Amino acid sequence: CTYGIPGCTDATACNYDAAATANDGSCTYAATGFDCNGDCLVGTAYVFTITDEYSDGMCCAYGNGYYTLTDGSTLLNSGDGQFGAGETFTWCSDQCITLEFLEDNYPAEQAWTLTADGVVIGSGDGGTGTTTYGTCVIPGCTDPAATNYDPTATVDDGSCIAPAVPNDTQAGAELLTMTAFGTCTSVSGTTDGATDSPESVNLYGGAFIDVWYEIVATEAGVRIAVVTSSMDCMLELLDDQGNLVAAADNSFVLEGEILFGNLTPGDSYFLSVQDYNNVGGTFDICAQELPAAEVYVSDIDRIYPCSGYRGLSASTFVSVAGGGTDWTFDDGVNTPITYSTQYSSVNLDLVPGIQSGTTYDVSIVPFYNNFGVTSQGTNEITIAAPSTGLKAQYINATVVLSQNAYVRCVQFSACGYESFDWRITDMVTGVESNVNTPGDLLALTSITDVTYGREYTAEIAVVYDGGVVGDYGAPQTFFTGAVPLIQLQSPFWSSNTTLTLSQVIRATPKVYLATDYEWSVERTDITELPFVYTRGLAVRAARVSDIGLSAGGTYNISIKPIVPNQTTDFGIVREAIVVGAGMVQDDEDTSPEIAEETVVKDNVISAAVTMYPNPAKDFVTLNITGIAEGTDKVLVAIFNTVGQLVQSEQIPADGNYVNSVVTLNGLAEGMYNVQITVGNTVSTERMIIQK
């Protein structure tokens, strides 16, 4: 039989047994730097000793000192003071020994010494610090510019590898393809193995390794985007003459973007991508054009009406976060007007100081993530001259004179207006009235000596912000109608209504300029002479007993107003029935005085309400005239076709007049009913929304 021979089978062990055939785990080895006899392999020996400095035997009981002893990067020994005072550990003196000592919490509790062949070469009483003894030789590449640079090497061993980055210099710059804004066709890059090129400006001082890219600008605005997870980037953009391009935030970007707004389309520029930490890393980079900062080509030299939003900018991408547009309007005479909007369009009639009939040079600066792109120049636009005449429905038309009657100016094409000046001339008497209105409506009652059946001419001028009065338009003619026919109000002559002697009855409508009213009375149930009753108080209401009607009588009544210098007629004859005997008639002397009352029917207030435009899109302008004194607000409620309330708001009244813009708050297309409440009177207008 063949039997195994147990023993140490490792030839490097101190107790190696050449005859052994089966390792029994008994191998022993020499300490680092020593032979199996315990002698240093080369040179003399170090001895490291820790003692209790105060000789109280408490030195190492609390673990006050921590130390490590290393040979280069190899840990030789370490401790926390848990061994007895005076214990030693030995190494060979030709090794590179690094001692790192850290005192824990009781200063100077431990004393230590390091000797070489009995000679003290280092000592201390704890504290902190790192000291190297012996000969420490670490071979490797010590050139920081090399691709295999070893920062721990102490001796260059000739293994350095030269950089191999093709775009390490400006002359070798890699061309980046320019893409449209909103797209990013990235290429991968690296600064590993790159050097600090002499062309870079290095605004932050020092020498930074960098690589180069070339771009050819297609617009004045360019966005460079860099994405990296392994390095901190700095970017510099130079022109082909080596000059740093002056633009906001063009010298430093940390894993983000850099924007330039004043490049020359067609020119080449060079981009230095620098590694702030000089350790090398990878990244992705792309170049995008920012749209032109100028008026749309199709809108240059165009005449703009002054209403609605106007898309003057060529950019459609400024609605990004931090976006917007700055506008400058220069007519070459006055101080240029500046204005800012959130998007790339501008509502001209909101720009303060813009005037109709004026030509402006417009320059535009759009913003992208709070970065402004320089305007590519100015483009000319013209604001349409104002149409300062009457609206078509009033020209050579008859307007019925009443307290709610008005004529309207063509207002929508007047830009930046403050008010309107009206010059109204009576063509019979030559009397001229000058009236200023805040809106585009002129109440006929504000005309001096207005009267019925008369021809007038209207000349209108726009008063702009700041009080500048524009030119008056050509005279246009309108007429006032004849004195209206009036009649007994319906509740007092309807077939199911009878009157008492004390009841007050009235005529309708109220006649503007009337000095009195006459009541023509004819009894029909018995024979009596007809008569005319005159109230004598210029009011259109009278008590039945005052008129002289008798209890139980049936009467035909007609009424006419008395207007100075006007021929008037009795209105429609209406039948009224007075209740029979048994009623007690009030004593005339104790009857209260009847005050004039103005009864406003639904259709009267509705006739004084105007909304435009209709169909509408985003807003309507609401005009209301003839509002009763003391009314301070008007309620506007909008209902859909199934009667649901979709929007409401209160509009303050300015005296007896409202002229206000109502924003439609994103209402969908369709038909709506607009209910307007003034005091106790409700009017309903129909409105269509078309997008």
Side-chain angles (χ1 to χ4, degrees):
C1 296
T2 301
Y3 295 96
I5 302 174
C8 177
T9 59
D10 186 350
T12 64
C14 291
N15 61 336
Y16 168 64
D17 184 358
T21 60
N23 197 324
D24 61 357
S26 62
C27 294
T28 59
Y29 300 89
T32 303
F34 295 84
D35 61 17
C36 290
N37 296 321
D39 298 324
C40 286
L41 295 176
V42 180
T44 59
Y46 290 129
V47 177
F48 179 66
T49 304
I50 296 179
T51 62
D52 183 353
E53 185 173 2
Y54 294 103
S55 302
D56 57 5
M58 302 299 293
C59 158
C60 306
Y62 296 101
N64 295 334
Y66 296 86
Y67 71 92
T68 58
L69 285 162
T70 57
D71 175 13
S73 60
T74 303
L75 178 67
L76 299 177
N77 211 328
S78 64
D80 60 359
Q82 297 300 317
F83 50 87
E87 187 171 350
T88 64
F89 297 85
T90 306
W91 294 270
C92 294
S93 58
D94 65 333
Q95 292 177 269
C96 175
I97 301 298
T98 300
L99 168 65
E100 182 177 5
F101 202 99
L102 173 65
E103 183 76 8
D104 187 10
N105 52 13
Y106 291 100
E109 183 73 13
Q110 294 172 315
W112 62 270
T113 58
L114 183 67
T115 61
D117 291 336
V119 178
V120 176
I121 61 174
S123 64
D125 60 355
T128 60
T130 300
T131 309
T132 301
Y133 302 92
T135 303
C136 298
V137 177
I138 303 175
C141 177
T142 60
D143 184 1
T147 59
N148 61 334
Y149 167 63
D150 184 2
T152 65
T154 60
V155 176
D156 195 308
D157 62 356
S159 64
C160 294
I161 301 174
V165 181
N167 58 339
D168 187 36
T169 64
Q170 183 176 342
E174 180 181 346
L175 181 65
L176 287 179
T177 301
M178 193 71 62
T179 60
F181 183 74
T183 63
C184 187
T185 305
S186 297
V187 298
S188 297
T190 181
T191 58
D192 290 338
T195 61
D196 173 34
S197 58
E199 297 90 351
S200 61
V201 179
N202 291 332
L203 292 180
Y204 290 87
F208 303 105
I209 61 176
D210 61 352
V211 290
W212 289 84
Y213 294 89
E214 180 184 1
I215 62 172
V216 178
T218 54
E219 297 287 352
V222 173
R223 175 181 183 263
I224 307 295
V226 177
V227 178
T228 175
S229 59
S230 60
M231 61 180 285
D232 289 342
C233 289
M234 294 188 300
L235 303 181
E236 293 176 355
L237 189 70
L238 282 66
D239 62 19
D240 56 5
Q241 303 299 312
N243 300 312
L244 185 69
V245 175
D249 300 328
N250 73 326
S251 58
F252 181 78
V253 171
L254 173 61
E255 300 181 8
E257 65 179 11
I258 184 170
L259 299 104
F260 305 93
N262 58 348
L263 306 187
T264 302
D267 284 3
S268 290
Y269 295 86
F270 295 91
L271 181 71
S272 169
V273 181
Q274 301 174 11
D275 186 346
Y276 183 77
N277 295 320
N278 280 330
V279 296
T282 59
F283 55 86
D284 291 326
I285 186 170
C286 71
Q288 307 170 19
E289 65 180 24
L290 301 180
E294 58 183 346
V295 174
Y296 281 116
V297 173
S298 60
D299 289 342
I300 297 174
D301 297 326
R302 177 180 162 190
I303 297 178
Y304 287 85
C306 195
S307 63
Y309 282 89
R310 301 299 163 191
L312 298 181
S313 171
S315 167
T316 57
F317 300 100
V318 296
S319 57
V320 298
T325 307
D326 283 352
W327 308 79
T328 301
F329 300 87
D330 188 357
D331 63 2
V333 178
N334 301 298
T335 302
I337 300 168
T338 58
Y339 190 67
S340 296
T341 61
Q342 184 179 359
Y343 303 105
S344 59
S345 296
V346 61
N347 189 350
L348 292 174
D349 56 4
L350 296 181
V351 179
I354 286 285
Q355 292 192 9
S356 301
T358 305
T359 298
Y360 294 93
D361 284 333
V362 182
S363 57
I364 303 170
V365 177
F367 283 79
Y368 306 85
N369 293 334
N370 297 313
F371 179 83
V373 177
T374 303
S375 177
Q376 292 186 323
T378 59
N379 302 113
E380 188 176 272
I381 68 168
T382 300
I383 311 298
S387 299
T388 51
L390 292 174
K391 276 206 164 185
Q393 63 263 40
Y394 301 106
I395 300 174
N396 294 324
T398 298
V399 182
V400 176
L401 181 59
S402 71
Q403 288 191 314
N404 293 323
Y406 59 86
V407 288
R408 166 166 279 163
C409 169
V410 181
Q411 176 265 335
F412 64 89
S413 63
C415 187
Y417 73 92
E418 175 183 286
S419 60
F420 293 89
D421 270 1
W422 302 71
R423 190 158 58 199
I424 308 297
T425 304
D426 187 323
M427 298 304 292
V428 174
T429 64
V431 173
E432 184 178 287
S433 299
N434 290 97
V435 183
N436 181 275
T437 61
D440 62 338
L441 300 179
L442 172 69
L444 297 187
T445 55
S446 64
I447 301 174
T448 303
D449 296 330
V450 66
T451 189
Y452 293 95
R454 194 66 61 86
E455 177 183 356
Y456 295 88
T457 61
E459 301 165 83
I460 309 168
V462 176
V463 181
Y464 294 99
D465 291 335
V468 178
V469 181
D471 296 331
Y472 282 93
Q476 294 173 307
T477 299
F478 67 94
F479 303 88
T480 54
V483 179
L485 294 176
I486 63 175
Q487 60 180 316
L488 190 63
Q489 195 171 356
S490 59
F492 306 111
W493 56 260
S494 58
S495 59
N496 62 349
T497 301
T498 56
L499 307 176
T500 66
L501 292 175
S502 62
Q503 194 163 7
V504 174
I505 58 176
R506 62 176 56 86
T508 189
K510 179 181 179 180
V511 177
Y512 186 65
L513 300 180
T515 59
D516 214 333
Y517 295 85
E518 290 185 350
W519 305 65
S520 176
V521 181
E522 180 182 5
R523 187 164 182 172
T524 59
D525 59 328
I526 61 174
T527 301
E528 286 186 356
L529 291 177
F531 63 91
V532 174
Y533 169 76
T534 303
R535 172 70 172 152
L537 294 174
V539 294
R540 56 193 174 100
R543 194 182 303 277
V544 171
S545 60
D546 292 341
I547 296 174
L549 305 184
S550 300
T554 301
Y555 297 90
N556 284 338
I557 301 175
S558 59
I559 309 167
K560 76 171 182 178
I562 305 300
V563 179
N565 303 315
Q566 299 293 320
T567 300
T568 58
D569 297 315
F570 283 101
I572 300 174
V573 175
R574 296 298 186 186
E575 183 179 83
I577 302 173
V578 182
V579 295
M583 295 299 297
V584 178
Q585 180 173 324
D586 290 343
D587 184 82
E588 182 176 348
D589 294 338
T590 61
S591 299
E593 185 64 36
I594 301 172
E596 173 62 283
E597 299 178 31
T598 301
V599 178
V600 183
K601 298 172 62 178
D602 287 354
N603 63 338
V604 175
I605 182 62
S606 178
V609 174
T610 305
M611 293 189 309
Y612 65 89
N614 194 2
K617 182 180 180 182
D618 299 315
F619 62 88
V620 293
T621 298
L622 179 66
N623 283 293
I624 307 175
T625 59
I627 297 175
E629 294 295 335
T631 302
D632 59 353
K633 58 182 176 292
V634 172
L635 176 63
V636 178
I638 302 177
F639 298 85
N640 60 22
T641 54
V642 296
Q644 295 173 319
L645 177 65
V646 295
Q647 181 178 323
S648 66
E649 64 179 279
Q650 290 184 343
I651 300 174
D654 183 7
N656 63 349
Y657 180 85
V658 166
N659 184 18
S660 180
V661 173
V662 177
T663 302
L664 298 178
N665 294 333
L667 294 181
E669 288 189 338
M671 184 172 294
Y672 297 84
N673 289 322
V674 182
Q675 188 180 88
I676 302 164
T677 303
V678 182
N680 296 322
T681 305
V682 178
S683 172
T684 301
E685 301 288 333
R686 181 160 294 180
M687 175 182 67
I688 297 174
I689 297 179
Q690 291 180 349
K691 300 295 186 181

